[in-house]
Amino acid sequence: MIDIRDTGKGTSVVRLTPARCNIYTVTRNSRTILIDTGISFDRSRIEHALARKGVVPEAVVLTHTHFDHAGNAAWLAREYGCEVVVQEAESEALALGETPIPAGTHALTRGLVSLGKKVAPVFKYEPCQADHVFGETFDLNRFGINGYMIHTPGHSPGGATVVIDDIVALAGDSVIGTMPGSPFPPFADDVELLLTSWKKIIDTGCETFLPGHGKPVSREELIREYEKRSGLF
Ligand SMILES: [Zn+2]
């Protein structure tokens, strides 16, 4: 199933294909960028989906460099000539093809993380040299897209959120859509920092938040969870 969102301001945001993580195309006036790239096993699926849509993305924008999001960045750069954009705190991990492993936010996921550290080589992917490395914000108008990226660390150090037409925000793993009513991610490096980033994400004024995994999260859901969590600090 392909989920299409029109911002009502000339941009369409489409989930390209079900993959290990949500990969979205953002298109405006026939110019397309990709948000995240999935895991390397998703490659042929991405290739077919792009061919079916008849689009050649001109850039790949990464919400962060975990292997399930950055796994095909190098391939997309090579095969499609995509320019790659990443936040500076993770440009080195991307250049090495390494996943900065996050901490679990509760007991079960903490256990999974210690397991993950033992199997870290599995989290390697093809290294990729970014074309654009940004600090706080990055303007996407250079690719014909009315939008920008903001640094939203917490899940990982170089986490980024992509804001399109001030309507839709693609939040990577800063927000999760796999557990209805609970958009707080099960993995995060720094929970307090993530909440600071949630405030930034809410302050974009966007109505819909598209997560790296699972279904869209509404503004109301995000604010409700933010108020619940921020009360703990
Ligand atoms: Zn992640």
Side-chain angles (χ1 to χ4, degrees):
M1 193 208 67
I2 294 197
D3 188 15
I4 302 178
R5 269 154 214 279
D6 200 309
T7 61
K9 291 186 182 174
T11 311
S12 69
V13 181
V14 179
R15 196 173 67 142
L16 181 66
T17 176
R20 181 65 181 74
C21 83
N22 290 332
I23 302 171
Y24 298 94
T25 58
V26 176
T27 304
R28 184 181 179 85
N29 298 328
S30 310
R31 295 180 73 181
T32 296
I33 63 170
L34 272 190
I35 316 294
D36 284 341
T37 72
I39 184 172
S40 52
F41 300 129
D42 293 326
R43 202 164 285 187
S44 66
R45 191 179 265 188
I46 296 168
E47 198 169 16
H48 287 126
L50 287 173
R52 216 170 27 242
K53 278 172 66 76
V55 298
V56 176
E58 56 186 281
V60 161
V61 155
L62 296 172
T63 62
H64 62 305
T65 62
H66 287 156
F67 71 104
D68 53 334
H69 295 255
N72 293 306
W75 169 71
L76 285 155
R78 191 168 59 242
E79 292 299 317
Y80 296 84
C82 294
E83 294 181 24
V84 177
V85 186
V86 73
Q87 204 281 333
E88 64 187 1
E90 288 182 37
S91 61
E92 199 184 321
L94 183 66
L96 293 169
E98 283 179 359
T99 292
I101 297 181
T105 56
H106 55 72
L108 174 66
T109 51
R110 272 196 289 275
L112 286 173
V113 164
S114 60
L115 182 71
K117 290 202 165 124
K118 291 194 193 93
V119 296
V122 175
F123 299 140
K124 292 279 271 179
Y125 53 90
E126 188 180 345
C128 176
Q129 206 67 49
D131 300 283
H132 305 279
V133 174
F134 71 96
E136 195 48 39
T137 63
F138 184 82
D139 189 349
L140 294 170
N141 277 287
R142 69 161 60 227
F143 306 123
I145 299 297
N146 180 35
Y148 59 94
M149 299 174 75
I150 48 172
H151 184 205
T152 49
H155 171 70
S156 65
T161 295
V162 185
V163 178
I164 303 297
D165 285 347
D166 296 325
I167 300 280
V168 174
L170 300 102
D173 288 354
S174 296
V175 173
I176 197 128
T178 49
M179 290 180 287
S182 181
F184 200 79
F187 298 95
D189 277 351
D190 184 330
V191 170
E192 205 168 345
L193 185 59
L194 181 58
L195 282 170
T196 308
S197 291
W198 268 35
K199 176 81 169 66
K200 278 196 212 172
I201 293 171
I202 291 167
D203 286 348
T204 62
C206 286
E207 291 163 7
T208 305
F209 302 85
L210 302 180
H213 303 274
K215 298 201 169 73
V217 171
S218 71
R219 181 171 181 81
E220 293 67 37
E221 264 180 283
L222 196 66
I223 290 174
R224 200 183 313 127
E225 184 78 7
Y226 174 75
E227 285 173 349
K228 196 171 94 191
R229 298 264 173 180
S230 55
L232 300 174
F233 288 99

